[in-house]
Amino acid sequence: MVRSAAELFAGRSYDGTSIDDLVAHLGVHRNSLYKTFGSKRGLYLAALRWSLDHDLAPLTDRIAGAAGPLEGVREALAAPATGAGLDLLLLAAAERAPEDGEVAALVAEAFAALDRATGALVGADDAADDGEASGLATALTAAVLGLRLRARSGAASAAVDRAGAALAHRLDQH
């Protein structure tokens, strides 16, 4: 039920999802939803945590373990095809984090995990790193999230793929 709620929130956003939508989509009675989660926000927090643990954590592992930036960027851009993935994280960051401290903390942890994963691609874990590689890791995370946002907004997947490949190619050259 929580996974299904995460997918619904990732597709419609928190504000775009009503209790009636949740009841219909999840096939549960309104009272059961309130008894189990307390509120729509309670279900949202459970869904966000579930997505971060089951969608985002494996993704960060795949990114960190990629052979290089090109493969890592491809992993990041391909991942949202299943589950809530980066979409729920993007919506949580833009919509809920500015007004909900608990969501903001979860989003910050997720961004840090993505930064560590992209950092592994650009040598940010190297003891000789003077901060430039960790800055580059944060920039790469931001670029990947921006590309995902463009894809979500309807940009042609080929254009998003080309942009990701161009970025990764430049990183491989340095």
Side-chain angles (χ1 to χ4, degrees):
M1 179 166 53
V2 174
R3 180 188 74 222
S4 188
E7 292 170 358
L8 187 62
F9 285 126
R12 294 186 182 180
S13 80
Y14 179 85
D15 290 334
T17 304
S18 69
I19 291 292
D20 289 337
D21 293 333
L22 290 164
V23 166
H25 184 78
L26 301 174
V28 299
H29 193 273
R30 179 184 304 267
N31 290 339
S32 297
L33 190 145
Y34 282 116
K35 186 175 181 177
T36 304
F37 298 102
S39 64
K40 175 180 156 182
R41 180 182 178 273
L43 176 56
Y44 179 80
L45 287 170
L48 180 58
R49 285 186 185 102
W50 188 94
S51 178
L52 296 177
D53 289 344
H54 293 90
D55 292 331
L56 195 66
L59 173 62
T60 58
D61 290 344
R62 289 192 309 273
I63 292 169
L70 180 58
E71 184 183 323
V73 169
R74 283 187 177 148
E75 282 289 342
L77 294 178
T82 60
L86 294 175
D87 288 350
L88 185 54
L89 176 60
L90 283 168
L91 289 172
E95 179 187 37
R96 302 300 307 157
E99 61 188 60
D100 187 323
E102 197 168 353
V103 172
L106 292 168
V107 167
E109 289 174 29
F111 284 169
L114 283 166
D115 289 347
R116 285 189 300 275
T118 58
L121 298 176
V122 296
D125 56 354
D126 186 344
D129 176 22
D130 62 0
E132 184 175 331
S134 60
L136 185 57
T138 300
L140 180 54
T141 296
V144 166
L145 290 171
L147 289 172
R148 180 59 204 141
L149 187 60
R150 287 180 76 122
R152 182 180 168 85
S153 69
S157 65
V160 171
D161 290 345
R162 276 194 311 275
L167 175 62
H169 178 71
R170 284 287 182 185
L171 291 171
D172 272 338
Q173 289 179 338
H174 287 79

